[in-house]
Amino acid sequence: MQQQNSLQNYRAKRDFKKTREPAGQKRQSGRGAIFVIQKHQARNLHYDFRLEIDGVLKSWAVPKEPSLNPAVKRLAIAVEDHPLDYADFSGTIPQGEYGAGTVAIWDRGTFANLRKGISLAKTLQEGQIEIDLQGQRLHGGYVLHRIREKPKELWLLIKMKE
Ligand code: MN
């Protein structure tokens, strides 16, 4: 499981004198739950999938573009929590810094928990997140399903059948 707190790992990896990424704090967006997907051209191109849960952006690195096809499973590697403010970040991370390269917002919007009677935090803990995404590119039901806990948490991101 990811540590409950949180932003320590995020901050430890970055020098905020050198990168324009936000140091941020734990806070709610106040817009319901938000999600963002950032296309990150680092050493390897990937898509950072982030969901607002309990005041931070829970984050996964998805090596291939998220799919609209329910038959396609995308690997999603759990990474450190990011601050809510990261949802607005795009631009360049300087050479030599963690994640050096370019970040572009690929999609963003709000989402709803489709599992009734259970909190998002609990679905994260259980390794079975079911959400309805309302973005520009991605709409409708998606599942994040944990397939491995150690040494790295691996999940699958899958579009639900309509
Ligand atoms: Mn990334």
Side-chain angles (χ1 to χ4, degrees), residues 13 20 22 26-27 30-31 36 38 45 62 73-74 87 96 107 162:
K13 288 171 192 267
R20 291 174 38 246
K26 227 174 158 176
R27 65 176 183 87
R31 293 191 281 131
V36 65
Q38 284 152 320
L45 175 66
V62 181
K73 297 179 168 75
R74 288 294 189 231
D107 199 13
E162 296 305 325

Side-chain angles (χ1 to χ4, degrees), residues 23 63 78 85 90 115-116 157-158:
D85 291 337
S90 61
R115 293 187 61 190
K116 295 303 163 204
L157 174 67
I158 311 163

Side-chain angles (χ1 to χ4, degrees), residues 35 37 47 49 62-76 106-107 133 137-144 156-162:
F35 81 95
I37 301 171
Y47 296 79
F49 186 84
V62 181
K64 292 183 182 169
E65 188 173 289
S67 180
L68 309 178
N69 179 351
V72 174
K73 297 179 168 75
R74 288 294 189 231
L75 184 66
W106 185 81
D107 199 13
L133 297 178
R137 294 178 191 256
L138 301 189
H139 302 279
Y142 277 81
V143 176
L144 272 160
L156 294 175
L157 174 67
I158 311 163
K159 176 86 173 77
M160 285 180 184
K161 295 196 181 88
E162 296 305 325

Side-chain angles (χ1 to χ4, degrees), residues 70-116:
V72 174
K73 297 179 168 75
R74 288 294 189 231
L75 184 66
I77 302 153
V79 298
E80 75 274 17
D81 296 350
H82 280 50
L84 245 286
D85 291 337
Y86 209 93
D88 297 317
F89 178 76
S90 61
T92 300
I93 300 170
Q95 285 311 312
E97 298 309 300
Y98 181 74
T102 58
V103 174
I105 293 173
W106 185 81
D107 199 13
R108 67 189 309 175
T110 58
F111 73 97
N113 182 6
L114 291 174
R115 293 187 61 190
K116 295 303 163 204

Side-chain angles (χ1 to χ4, degrees), residues 1-3 9 13 75-80 146-155:
M1 269 222 354
Q2 280 181 294
Q3 286 93 337
N9 290 346
K13 288 171 192 267
L75 184 66
I77 302 153
V79 298
E80 75 274 17
R146 189 168 56 219
I147 54 171
R148 198 180 81 180
E149 291 204 44
K150 285 179 179 176
K152 259 187 191 175
E153 265 191 44
L154 300 182
W155 298 61

